Amino acid sequence: MALITCHDTAFGYEGHPVVSHLNFSLNTGDYLCVMGENGAGKSTLIKGILRLIKPMAGTLETGDGLLPSEIGYLPQQTAAQKDFPAGVEEVVYSGFLNRRGLRPFYSRAEKQTAATLMEQLGISHLKKSCYRELSGGQQQRVLLARALCATSKLLLLDEPVSGLDPVATQELYRLIGDINHTTGITIIMVSHDVRSAVEHASHILHLKNAQQFYGTAHDYVATNLGQTFLGGHADV
Amino acid sequence: MFDVLVEMFSYPFLVRAVIVGALVSLCAALLGNSLVLKRYSMIGDGLSHVGFGALAVATAFGWAPLAVSIPLVVLAAFLLLRLSDNSKIKGDAAIAMISTGSLAVGVIVLSLTTGMTTDVCNYLFGSILAMNKTDVYMSMVLSIVVIVIFLLFYHKIFAVTFDETFARATGVKAGGYNMLLAFLTAITIVLGMRMMGAMLISSLIIFPALTAMRLCKTYRSVILCSVVVSLICFFIGVVVSYLYAMPTGASVVMVNILAFGIFAAIAAVKGKVKKPA
């Protein structure tokens, strides 16, 4: 059974659909890139999958025993976080909160998991640092570690590379690809970067307030849509 | 110096005031960090004005001040949070409306009943004589409740403060924790209001947090530092007000401003000046 299935689904705010006619299904271990121009409904779809907003039409089903609390999420950064005094460890540990119920403190096993994840993402030397003093790429890796603390099944990333320099961008794509290959975590990423998306993802979903394309990355390249975007006319 | 302290603590009313003040400073510092970081600083200010209105009404009808003002201020806190979430009236405008509204109600009720006496001045700017024994016990119990709840939910409060979207997405009931924060803030404000004054109480919430943030880099160290700063500033403020016969609330605020200045200067010297939060 598929991990996520949309049947003619629509999402929006205050009665106005932002994105509609979604029909796709995603299997465990897939790596989906959601493409589209600004305002195409990419972030709205992510909020829908996270169940922060309800479908206005159609259905969104989850399979393979996926619970809402088992989704890891890497949101777009907010302005408030830029001057927030938080230690790297504190931020990473907060990923465990959804599993802890009312237990007030973190367990040794959780701290060990977090340490392993920070090691894998190459940020263990930063664990005593202040989050707001890190570079953009380092901050994203800290938030990625937090998201991975929250999930072992599905990772949602909302424009994780925006604002990063080319080196940090490639590094983050490599890390996300590695996570997908080695652990089999399903990945849904919103991105503007068509070239990297086609290179790393297994599937592409192209939105323009409705579904324009859904299929494998290989098929996407062959379509007119894919060619237009890869041709450099859009925001590549 | 020691003689002054002994002399001060020979007055029972001063001992009561110092106990309540210290507990309130502690609670205010704990909550203040989250409020400042969540951009909710003005809620503290708004609630203190609601507290003034409630106190005035309670005095006019001869009701117990805490029993009337705590439920009213808690109600106002929830209302303010609702309005902040709802986009029809923006949060800051809603706070201005509610705070000036309750100030007006309070002033009218007072002038119709007791008249504009020194009582009004005491409500607005605080009086160290305001605490009787019942108040002290009630303040102690409520402060301990605030501290215990804060410690139990410390990690969740951090998560909701740092990144509400992520917290919501992973199944934390962020709305509930915002309510909890507003609820605890309301209680703290009512407890501290009569000593610090309706006009000055919100400084206890805002200053220690901002002072600690000049120098501390992790959430835990900011919390600990702000608590220590808050307590020290309160004690110095009380002693200064006793020595020079100055209003207590205003003295505590002045010491807090000084502490903020010192911390900011140290941060500047370290070459790490940050934008004010």
Side-chain angles (χ1 to χ4, degrees):
Chain A
M1 183 174 173
L3 192 66
I4 288 181
T5 312
C6 280
H7 287 297
D8 208 26
T9 320
F11 291 111
Y13 304 99
E14 293 171 4
H16 302 289
V18 176
V19 57
S20 52
H21 303 298
L22 295 164
N23 283 292
F24 66 91
S25 78
L26 197 65
N27 291 311
T28 300
D30 284 352
Y31 183 159
L32 174 71
C33 246
V34 183
M35 321 281 315
E37 289 159 44
N38 289 333
K42 304 186 296 285
S43 296
T44 310
L45 170 63
I46 294 285
K47 289 205 175 89
I49 295 172
L50 288 167
R51 305 206 179 264
L52 295 174
I53 51 176
K54 289 200 177 80
M56 295 173 64
T59 56
L60 173 86
E61 289 167 18
T62 54
D64 290 350
L66 179 75
L67 300 170
S69 64
E70 289 175 320
I71 300 176
Y73 178 40
L74 200 151
Q76 292 184 11
Q77 290 206 49
T78 62
Q81 286 165 7
K82 300 251 152 65
D83 58 3
F84 196 104
V88 167
E89 272 182 318
E90 290 177 314
V91 175
V92 174
Y93 289 161
S94 67
F96 289 118
L97 278 174
N98 55 344
R99 308 185 185 177
R100 280 181 37 253
L102 290 173
R103 193 154 48 87
F105 301 104
Y106 297 111
S107 71
R108 191 176 292 267
E110 284 169 341
K111 289 186 178 174
Q112 188 56 50
T113 310
T116 314
L117 283 170
M118 284 191 270
E119 184 69 47
Q120 278 169 11
L121 297 177
I123 49 171
S124 43
H125 62 290
L126 299 169
K127 66 181 180 188
K128 298 289 176 203
S129 312
C130 177
Y131 174 80
R132 66 181 171 194
E133 288 170 5
L134 302 180
S135 72
Q138 288 169 332
Q139 287 185 342
Q140 287 301 65
R141 278 189 273 171
V142 171
L143 296 185
L144 189 57
R146 177 182 67 167
L148 287 169
C149 286
T151 189
S152 52
K153 289 184 178 165
L154 174 61
L155 195 56
L156 268 76
L157 306 113
D158 199 349
E159 301 196 15
V161 298
S162 66
L164 298 188
D165 62 60
V167 177
T169 301
Q170 285 312 313
E171 185 68 8
L172 198 66
Y173 275 120
R174 189 186 61 73
L175 278 171
I176 294 165
D178 283 354
I179 292 165
N180 178 245
H181 287 304
T182 55
T183 61
I185 291 180
T186 312
I187 290 178
I188 302 179
M189 182 202 286
V190 171
S191 177
H192 279 298
D193 185 352
V194 185
R195 272 171 214 285
S196 300
V198 171
E199 186 185 329
H200 292 92
S202 65
H203 292 73
I204 302 284
L205 173 65
H206 194 116
L207 300 177
K208 193 175 181 183
N209 305 113
Q211 185 169 320
Q212 304 281 305
F213 175 86
Y214 175 70
T216 63
H218 188 260
D219 291 344
Y220 179 71
V221 178
T223 61
N224 280 336
L225 197 65
Q227 283 300 323
T228 317
F229 269 62
L230 279 167
H233 298 301
D235 40 358
V236 177
Chain B
M1 182 68 202
F2 189 69
D3 296 340
V4 175
L5 288 181
V6 171
E7 189 189 321
M8 270 179 68
F9 287 110
S10 63
Y11 298 103
F13 76 88
L14 259 180
V15 176
R16 288 203 287 268
V18 167
I19 292 172
V20 174
L23 286 169
V24 169
S25 308
L26 205 124
C27 295
L30 287 179
L31 298 169
N33 287 294
S34 287
L35 293 176
V36 167
L37 290 167
K38 284 180 83 75
R39 310 289 191 266
Y40 281 173
S41 309
M42 284 310 289
I43 286 186
D45 202 48
L47 290 183
S48 61
H49 291 80
V50 175
F52 169 77
L55 264 189
V57 172
T59 318
F61 291 95
W63 295 328
L66 281 184
V68 175
S69 37
I70 286 179
L72 272 178
V73 176
V74 167
L75 204 70
F78 290 162
L79 192 67
L80 282 177
L81 270 192
R82 279 271 137 167
L83 289 173
S84 301
D85 294 342
N86 186 334
S87 52
K88 291 236 170 61
I89 302 174
K90 288 281 171 244
D92 55 343
I95 292 170
M97 269 168 49
I98 291 184
S99 69
T100 47
S102 1
L103 207 56
V105 170
V107 169
I108 286 174
V109 168
L110 279 178
S111 63
L112 286 179
T113 52
T114 56
M116 296 293 257
T117 58
T118 48
D119 277 0
V120 182
C121 191
N122 284 345
Y123 288 144
L124 288 175
F125 303 109
S127 161
I128 202 150
L129 302 169
M131 295 283 142
N132 63 35
K133 271 209 181 107
T134 333
D135 291 342
V136 175
Y137 293 135
M138 215 162 154
S139 304
M140 281 166 81
V141 171
L142 286 174
S143 315
I144 290 164
V145 168
V146 171
I147 292 163
V148 168
I149 292 181
F150 186 89
L151 290 180
L152 279 180
F153 293 107
Y154 168 78
H155 288 294
K156 291 223 165 80
I157 291 174
F158 167 77
V160 172
T161 311
F162 179 69
D163 193 340
E164 196 171 316
T165 323
F166 178 83
R168 274 182 203 276
T170 53
V172 175
K173 302 264 180 293
Y177 288 97
N178 285 340
M179 295 278 239
L180 181 71
L181 214 54
F183 174 71
L184 298 178
T185 308
I187 291 183
T188 306
I189 282 184
V190 174
L191 291 182
M193 197 173 63
R194 277 178 308 153
M195 182 163 42
M196 291 294 294
M199 293 292 173
L200 298 171
I201 177 68
S202 57
S203 70
L204 274 193
I205 287 179
I206 295 159
F207 268 111
L210 285 177
T211 305
M213 280 173 213
R214 295 309 98 197
L215 291 179
C216 297
K217 293 180 192 255
T218 65
Y219 189 68
R220 185 197 301 205
S221 63
V222 167
I223 298 264
L224 290 175
C225 179
S226 63
V227 166
V228 173
V229 166
S230 181
L231 286 175
I232 292 176
C233 289
F234 174 74
F235 281 118
I236 297 177
V238 170
V239 173
V240 168
S241 87
Y242 176 78
L243 285 177
Y244 300 100
M246 296 194 301
T248 314
S251 311
V252 173
V253 176
M254 281 314 296
V255 177
N256 267 301
I257 291 174
L258 272 178
F260 177 81
I262 293 168
F263 274 59
I266 296 173
V269 168
K270 280 179 144 183
K272 288 175 183 167
V273 202
K274 309 241 157 47
K275 282 177 291 177

